[in-house]
């Protein structure tokens, strides 16, 4: 099956909105400040963004709070064409462990991760619908380690179910990931070398131990 270029799909939506001279509202799920940096910089020219911080997968509450604080700091620091708002969710790691049950031994990037994508996107869509946003989306596709085809597939499925528009994306395209690294350095953002969950943390620590041998 041919892969869809979701960056081109996003381009079409942006061009259509520009022709109609509209600036739609977007609820943008963010996994962390570094991944959201380029995404916000790019999309804030074309959308009125509210960043949703919903990440029950993060391994510990102290880590969650640290990443959330960096997200807020970044939003306050960025100079954007359209104002960017922030929406928080209560930290509840049991929501992640409920969907990860039975998938603890999956490799990073496998079915456990797909279930985690769905968990966070379902919450984003629900809140977007409830609060009257035009679109919902996520920063997840900016990572070279995340499956953009699967993220968009899940996004469209949830959009149909919730009757709200999914904004297709592959933010790693056009050197988006590279730009996120540059912005992370510029704003001295806190970065981690694992996605956030305890399973990815263990896998990272195991790889580091193997590398030291």
């Amino acid at each position: 099956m041919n892969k869809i270029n979701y960056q081109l799909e996003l381009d079409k939506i942006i061009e259509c909105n520009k022709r109609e001279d509209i600036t739609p509202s977007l609820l943008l799920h963010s996994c962390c400040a570094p991944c959201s940096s380029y995404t916000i910089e790019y999309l804030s020219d074309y959308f009125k963004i509210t960043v949703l911080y919903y990440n029950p997968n993060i391994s510990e509450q102290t880590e969650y709070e640290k990443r959330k604080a960096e997200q807020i700091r970044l939003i306050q620091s960025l100079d954007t064409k359209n104002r960017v708002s922030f929406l928080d969710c209560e930290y509840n790691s049991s929501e992640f462990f409920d969907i990860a049950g039975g998938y603890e031994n999956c490799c990073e990037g496998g079915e456990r991760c797909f279930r985690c994508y769905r968990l966070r996107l379902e919450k984003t869509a629900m809140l977007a619908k409830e609060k009257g946003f035009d679109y919902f989306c996520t920063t997840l596709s900016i990572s070279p380690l995340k499956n953009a085809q699967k993220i968009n597939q899940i996004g469209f499925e949830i959009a149909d179910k919730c009757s709200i528009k999914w904004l297709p994306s592959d933010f790693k395209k056009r050197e988006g990931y590279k730009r996120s690294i540059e912005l992370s350095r510029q704003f001295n953002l806190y970065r981690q070398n694992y996605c956030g969950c305890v399973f990815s943390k263990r896998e990272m620590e195991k790889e580091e131990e193997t590398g030291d041998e």
Side-chain angles (χ1 to χ4, degrees), residues 10 13-14 17 23-30 36 38-52 82-87 121 124-125 127-129 131-139 164-169 171:
L10 174 56
I13 292 170
I14 289 174
N17 290 337
T23 307
S25 58
L26 169 66
L27 187 60
L28 175 66
H29 164 263
S30 175
S36 74
Y38 163 74
T39 309
I40 294 172
E41 180 187 63
Y42 168 41
L43 291 181
S44 60
D45 278 354
Y46 312 108
F47 296 88
K48 293 173 284 189
I49 299 173
T50 295
V51 174
L52 174 67
N82 293 297
R83 181 175 175 269
V84 179
S85 304
F86 178 77
L87 179 62
L121 290 179
T124 307
L127 289 172
K129 179 74 172 178
K131 296 180 181 295
F133 285 86
D134 296 311
Y135 291 91
F136 76 105
C137 188
T138 180
T139 63
I164 185 168
K165 289 184 283 189
W166 164 253
L167 189 69
S169 66
F171 295 120

Coordinates of all heavy atoms in Angstrom, one line a residue, residues 10 13-14 17 23-30 36 38-52 82-87 121 124-125 127-129 131-139 164-169 171:
L10 N -2.0 18.5 4.3 CA -2.1 19.7 5.2 C -2.0 21.0 4.3 O -2.7 22.0 4.5 CB -1.0 19.7 6.2 CG -0.9 20.9 7.1 CD1 -2.2 21.3 7.8 CD2 0.2 20.6 8.2
I13 N -5.3 22.0 2.8 CA -6.2 22.6 3.8 C -5.8 24.1 4.1 O -6.6 25.0 4.1 CB -6.2 21.8 5.1 CG1 -6.9 20.4 4.8 CG2 -7.0 22.5 6.2 CD1 -6.8 19.5 5.9
I14 N -4.5 24.3 4.3 CA -4.0 25.6 4.5 C -4.3 26.6 3.4 O -4.8 27.7 3.5 CB -2.5 25.6 4.9 CG1 -2.3 25.0 6.2 CG2 -1.9 27.0 4.8 CD1 -0.8 24.8 6.6
N17 N -8.0 27.5 3.2 CA -8.4 28.4 4.3 C -7.9 29.8 3.9 O -8.5 30.8 4.2 CB -7.8 28.0 5.6 CG -8.5 26.7 6.2 OD1 -9.7 26.4 5.8 ND2 -7.9 26.0 7.0
T23 N -9.3 31.8 9.6 CA -8.3 31.3 10.5 C -9.0 30.3 11.5 O -9.5 30.7 12.5 CB -7.6 32.4 11.3 OG1 -7.1 33.4 10.4 CG2 -6.4 31.8 12.1
P24 N -9.0 29.0 11.1 CA -9.8 28.1 12.0 C -9.1 27.9 13.3 O -7.9 28.1 13.5 CB -9.7 26.8 11.2 CG -9.3 27.2 9.8 CD -8.4 28.4 10.0
S25 N -9.9 27.4 14.3 CA -9.4 27.0 15.6 C -8.9 25.6 15.6 O -9.5 24.7 14.9 CB -10.4 27.2 16.7 OG -11.6 26.4 16.4
L26 N -7.8 25.3 16.3 CA -7.2 24.0 16.4 C -6.9 23.6 17.8 O -6.2 24.4 18.5 CB -5.9 24.0 15.5 CG -5.0 22.8 15.6 CD1 -5.6 21.6 15.1 CD2 -3.7 23.1 14.9
L27 N -7.3 22.5 18.2 CA -6.9 21.9 19.5 C -5.7 21.0 19.2 O -5.9 19.9 18.5 CB -8.0 21.1 20.2 CG -7.7 20.7 21.6 CD1 -7.3 21.8 22.5 CD2 -8.8 19.8 22.2
L28 N -4.5 21.3 19.6 CA -3.3 20.6 19.2 C -2.8 19.9 20.4 O -2.3 20.5 21.4 CB -2.3 21.6 18.7 CG -0.9 21.1 18.4 CD1 -0.9 20.1 17.2 CD2 0.1 22.2 18.2
H29 N -2.9 18.6 20.4 CA -2.3 17.7 21.4 C -0.8 17.8 21.3 O -0.2 17.7 20.2 CB -2.7 16.3 21.3 CG -1.9 15.4 22.1 ND1 -0.8 14.7 21.6 CD2 -1.8 15.1 23.5 CE1 -0.2 14.0 22.5 NE2 -0.8 14.2 23.7
S30 N -0.1 18.1 22.4 CA 1.3 18.1 22.5 C 1.9 17.1 23.4 O 1.4 17.0 24.6 CB 1.8 19.5 22.9 OG 3.2 19.5 23.0
S36 N 6.6 20.2 20.1 CA 5.6 21.2 19.8 C 6.2 22.5 19.2 O 5.5 23.3 18.6 CB 4.7 21.6 21.0 OG 5.4 22.4 21.9
Y38 N 8.4 23.5 16.7 CA 8.3 23.8 15.3 C 6.8 23.8 14.9 O 6.3 24.6 14.1 CB 9.0 22.8 14.5 CG 8.6 22.7 13.0 CD1 8.9 23.8 12.1 CD2 7.8 21.7 12.5 CE1 8.5 23.8 10.8 CE2 7.3 21.7 11.2 CZ 7.7 22.7 10.4 OH 7.3 22.7 9.1
T39 N 6.1 22.8 15.5 CA 4.6 22.6 15.1 C 3.9 23.9 15.4 O 3.1 24.4 14.5 CB 4.0 21.5 15.9 OG1 4.9 20.3 15.7 CG2 2.6 21.1 15.4
I40 N 4.1 24.5 16.6 CA 3.4 25.8 16.9 C 3.9 26.9 16.0 O 3.1 27.7 15.5 CB 3.6 26.1 18.4 CG1 2.9 25.0 19.3 CG2 3.1 27.5 18.7 CD1 3.3 25.2 20.8
E41 N 5.2 27.0 15.9 CA 5.8 28.0 15.0 C 5.2 28.0 13.6 O 4.8 29.1 13.0 CB 7.3 27.9 14.9 CG 8.0 28.9 14.1 CD 9.5 28.6 13.9 OE1 9.8 27.6 13.2 OE2 10.3 29.4 14.3
Y42 N 5.0 26.8 13.1 CA 4.5 26.6 11.7 C 3.0 26.9 11.7 O 2.5 27.7 10.9 CB 4.8 25.2 11.3 CG 4.2 24.7 10.0 CD1 4.0 25.5 8.9 CD2 3.7 23.4 10.0 CE1 3.4 25.0 7.7 CE2 3.1 22.9 8.8 CZ 3.0 23.7 7.7 OH 2.4 23.2 6.6
L43 N 2.2 26.2 12.5 CA 0.8 26.3 12.4 C 0.1 27.5 12.9 O -1.0 27.9 12.4 CB 0.1 25.1 13.1 CG 0.4 23.7 12.6 CD1 -0.3 22.6 13.4 CD2 -0.1 23.6 11.1
S44 N 0.8 28.2 13.8 CA 0.2 29.5 14.3 C 0.0 30.6 13.3 O -0.7 31.6 13.6 CB 1.0 29.9 15.5 OG 2.3 30.2 15.1
D45 N 0.6 30.5 12.2 CA 0.4 31.4 11.1 C -1.0 31.2 10.5 O -1.5 32.2 9.8 CB 1.5 31.3 10.0 CG 2.8 32.0 10.4 OD1 2.8 32.7 11.4 OD2 3.7 31.9 9.6
Y46 N -1.5 30.0 10.6 CA -2.7 29.7 9.9 C -3.9 29.2 10.7 O -5.0 29.1 10.3 CB -2.4 28.5 8.9 CG -1.2 28.7 8.1 CD1 0.0 28.0 8.4 CD2 -1.1 29.7 7.1 CE1 1.1 28.2 7.6 CE2 0.0 29.9 6.3 CZ 1.1 29.2 6.6 OH 2.3 29.4 5.9
F47 N -3.6 29.0 12.0 CA -4.7 28.5 12.9 C -4.6 29.3 14.3 O -3.6 29.7 14.7 CB -4.5 27.0 13.2 CG -4.7 26.2 12.0 CD1 -3.6 25.9 11.2 CD2 -5.9 25.6 11.7 CE1 -3.7 25.1 10.1 CE2 -6.1 24.8 10.6 CZ -5.0 24.5 9.8
K48 N -5.8 29.3 14.9 CA -5.8 29.8 16.3 C -5.7 28.6 17.2 O -6.6 27.7 17.3 CB -7.1 30.5 16.6 CG -7.3 31.8 15.8 CD -8.7 32.4 16.0 CE -9.7 31.7 15.1 NZ -11.0 32.4 15.1
I49 N -4.5 28.4 17.8 CA -4.1 27.2 18.5 C -4.4 27.2 20.0 O -4.0 28.2 20.6 CB -2.7 26.8 18.2 CG1 -2.4 26.7 16.7 CG2 -2.2 25.6 18.9 CD1 -0.9 26.5 16.4
T50 N -4.9 26.1 20.5 CA -4.9 25.8 21.9 C -4.1 24.5 22.0 O -4.5 23.5 21.4 CB -6.3 25.7 22.5 OG1 -7.0 26.9 22.4 CG2 -6.2 25.3 24.0
V51 N -3.0 24.6 22.8 CA -2.2 23.4 23.0 C -2.8 22.6 24.2 O -3.0 23.1 25.3 CB -0.8 23.8 23.4 CG1 0.1 22.6 23.8 CG2 -0.1 24.5 22.2
L52 N -3.1 21.3 23.9 CA -3.6 20.4 24.9 C -2.5 19.6 25.5 O -1.9 18.9 24.7 CB -4.7 19.5 24.4 CG -5.3 18.5 25.3 CD1 -6.0 19.1 26.5 CD2 -6.1 17.5 24.5
N82 N -0.7 34.4 15.5 CA -2.0 34.2 16.2 C -1.7 33.7 17.7 O -0.8 32.9 17.9 CB -2.9 33.2 15.5 CG -3.4 33.7 14.2 OD1 -4.1 34.7 14.1 ND2 -3.0 33.1 13.1
R83 N -2.4 34.3 18.6 CA -2.2 33.9 20.0 C -2.4 32.4 20.2 O -3.3 31.8 19.7 CB -3.2 34.7 20.9 CG -3.0 34.4 22.4 CD -3.9 35.3 23.2 NE -3.9 35.0 24.6 CZ -4.7 34.2 25.2 NH1 -5.7 33.5 24.5 NH2 -4.6 33.9 26.5
V84 N -1.5 31.8 21.1 CA -1.6 30.4 21.4 C -2.0 30.3 22.9 O -1.4 30.9 23.7 CB -0.2 29.7 21.1 CG1 -0.3 28.2 21.5 CG2 0.2 29.9 19.7
S85 N -3.0 29.4 23.1 CA -3.5 29.2 24.5 C -3.0 27.8 25.0 O -2.5 27.0 24.2 CB -5.0 29.3 24.5 OG -5.4 30.6 24.0
F86 N -3.3 27.6 26.2 CA -2.9 26.3 26.8 C -4.0 25.7 27.6 O -4.8 26.4 28.3 CB -1.7 26.5 27.8 CG -1.2 25.3 28.5 CD1 -0.5 24.3 27.8 CD2 -1.6 25.0 29.8 CE1 0.0 23.2 28.5 CE2 -1.2 23.9 30.5 CZ -0.4 23.0 29.8
L87 N -4.2 24.4 27.4 CA -5.2 23.6 28.1 C -4.6 22.4 28.8 O -4.0 21.6 28.1 CB -6.4 23.2 27.2 CG -7.5 22.4 27.8 CD1 -8.3 23.2 28.8 CD2 -8.5 22.0 26.6
L121 N -5.4 10.8 21.3 CA -6.2 11.4 20.3 C -7.7 11.4 20.5 O -8.4 12.3 20.2 CB -5.9 10.8 18.9 CG -4.5 11.1 18.4 CD1 -4.3 10.4 17.0 CD2 -4.3 12.6 18.2
T124 N -8.3 14.2 22.9 CA -8.2 15.5 22.2 C -9.5 15.7 21.3 O -10.0 16.8 21.3 CB -7.0 15.5 21.3 OG1 -5.8 15.1 22.0 CG2 -6.7 16.8 20.6
A125 N -9.9 14.7 20.6 CA -11.1 14.9 19.8 C -12.3 15.2 20.6 O -13.2 16.0 20.3 CB -11.3 13.6 19.0
L127 N -12.5 16.6 23.6 CA -12.5 18.0 24.1 C -12.6 19.0 23.0 O -13.3 20.1 23.1 CB -11.1 18.2 24.8 CG -11.0 17.5 26.1 CD1 -9.5 17.7 26.7 CD2 -12.0 18.1 27.2
A128 N -12.1 18.7 21.8 CA -12.2 19.6 20.6 C -13.7 19.7 20.3 O -14.2 20.8 20.0 CB -11.4 19.1 19.5
K129 N -14.4 18.6 20.3 CA -15.9 18.6 19.9 C -16.6 19.4 21.0 O -17.5 20.2 20.7 CB -16.3 17.2 19.9 CG -17.8 17.0 19.6 CD -18.1 17.3 18.1 CE -19.6 17.0 17.8 NZ -19.9 17.3 16.4
K131 N -15.6 21.7 23.0 CA -15.3 23.1 23.2 C -15.5 23.9 21.8 O -15.1 25.0 21.8 CB -13.9 23.3 23.7 CG -13.8 22.7 25.2 CD -12.4 22.9 25.7 CE -12.3 22.3 27.1 NZ -13.1 23.1 28.1
G132 N -15.9 23.2 20.8 CA -16.2 23.9 19.6 C -15.1 24.2 18.7 O -15.1 25.2 17.9
F133 N -14.0 23.4 18.7 CA -12.9 23.7 17.8 C -13.2 23.2 16.4 O -14.0 22.3 16.2 CB -11.6 22.9 18.3 CG -11.0 23.6 19.5 CD1 -11.4 23.3 20.8 CD2 -9.9 24.5 19.3 CE1 -10.8 23.9 21.9 CE2 -9.3 25.1 20.4 CZ -9.7 24.8 21.7
D134 N -12.5 23.8 15.4 CA -12.7 23.4 14.0 C -12.0 22.1 13.7 O -12.4 21.3 12.9 CB -12.3 24.5 13.1 CG -13.1 25.8 13.2 OD1 -14.4 25.6 13.2 OD2 -12.5 26.9 13.4
Y135 N -10.8 22.0 14.3 CA -9.9 20.8 14.0 C -9.2 20.3 15.3 O -9.1 21.1 16.3 CB -8.8 21.2 13.0 CG -9.1 21.5 11.6 CD1 -9.4 22.9 11.3 CD2 -9.1 20.6 10.6 CE1 -9.7 23.2 10.0 CE2 -9.5 20.9 9.3 CZ -9.8 22.2 9.0 OH -10.1 22.5 7.7
F136 N -8.8 19.1 15.2 CA -7.9 18.6 16.2 C -6.7 17.9 15.5 O -6.8 17.5 14.4 CB -8.6 17.6 17.2 CG -8.8 16.2 16.7 CD1 -8.1 15.1 17.1 CD2 -9.9 16.0 15.8 CE1 -8.3 13.8 16.6 CE2 -10.1 14.7 15.3 CZ -9.4 13.6 15.7
C137 N -5.5 17.8 16.3 CA -4.3 17.3 15.7 C -3.4 17.0 16.8 O -3.7 17.2 18.0 CB -3.7 18.4 14.8 SG -2.3 17.9 13.8
T138 N -2.2 16.5 16.5 CA -1.2 16.2 17.5 C 0.2 16.5 16.9 O 0.4 16.5 15.7 CB -1.2 14.7 17.9 OG1 -0.2 14.4 18.9 CG2 -1.0 13.7 16.7
T139 N 1.1 16.7 17.8 CA 2.5 17.0 17.5 C 3.3 15.7 17.2 O 4.5 15.7 16.8 CB 3.3 17.7 18.6 OG1 3.3 16.9 19.8 CG2 2.6 19.1 18.9
I164 N -15.8 15.4 14.0 CA -15.0 16.6 14.1 C -13.8 16.4 13.1 O -13.4 15.3 12.9 CB -14.5 16.9 15.5 CG1 -13.7 18.3 15.5 CG2 -13.7 15.8 16.1 CD1 -13.5 18.8 16.9
K165 N -13.3 17.5 12.6 CA -12.2 17.4 11.5 C -10.9 17.2 12.1 O -10.4 17.8 13.0 CB -12.2 18.7 10.7 CG -13.4 18.8 9.8 CD -13.3 20.0 8.9 CE -13.6 21.3 9.6 NZ -13.8 22.5 8.7
W166 N -10.2 16.2 11.6 CA -8.8 15.8 11.9 C -7.9 16.6 10.9 O -8.2 16.7 9.7 CB -8.6 14.4 11.7 CG -7.1 13.9 11.6 CD1 -6.5 13.5 10.5 CD2 -6.2 13.9 12.7 NE1 -5.2 13.2 10.8 CE2 -5.0 13.4 12.1 CE3 -6.3 14.2 14.0 CZ2 -3.8 13.2 12.9 CZ3 -5.1 14.0 14.8 CH2 -3.9 13.5 14.3
L167 N -6.9 17.2 11.5 CA -5.9 18.0 10.6 C -4.8 17.0 10.3 O -3.9 16.7 11.2 CB -5.4 19.2 11.4 CG -4.5 20.2 10.5 CD1 -5.4 20.8 9.5 CD2 -3.8 21.2 11.4
P168 N -4.7 16.5 9.1 CA -3.6 15.6 8.7 C -2.2 16.3 8.8 O -2.1 17.5 8.5 CB -3.9 15.2 7.3 CG -4.7 16.3 6.7 CD -5.5 16.9 7.9
S169 N -1.2 15.5 9.1 CA 0.1 16.1 9.2 C 1.2 15.1 9.2 O 1.0 13.9 9.5 CB 0.2 16.9 10.6 OG 0.1 16.0 11.7
F171 N 4.8 16.3 10.5 CA 5.6 17.5 10.8 C 7.1 17.3 10.7 O 7.8 18.2 10.7 CB 5.2 18.0 12.2 CG 3.8 18.5 12.3 CD1 2.9 17.9 13.2 CD2 3.4 19.5 11.5 CE1 1.6 18.4 13.4 CE2 2.1 20.0 11.6 CZ 1.2 19.4 12.6

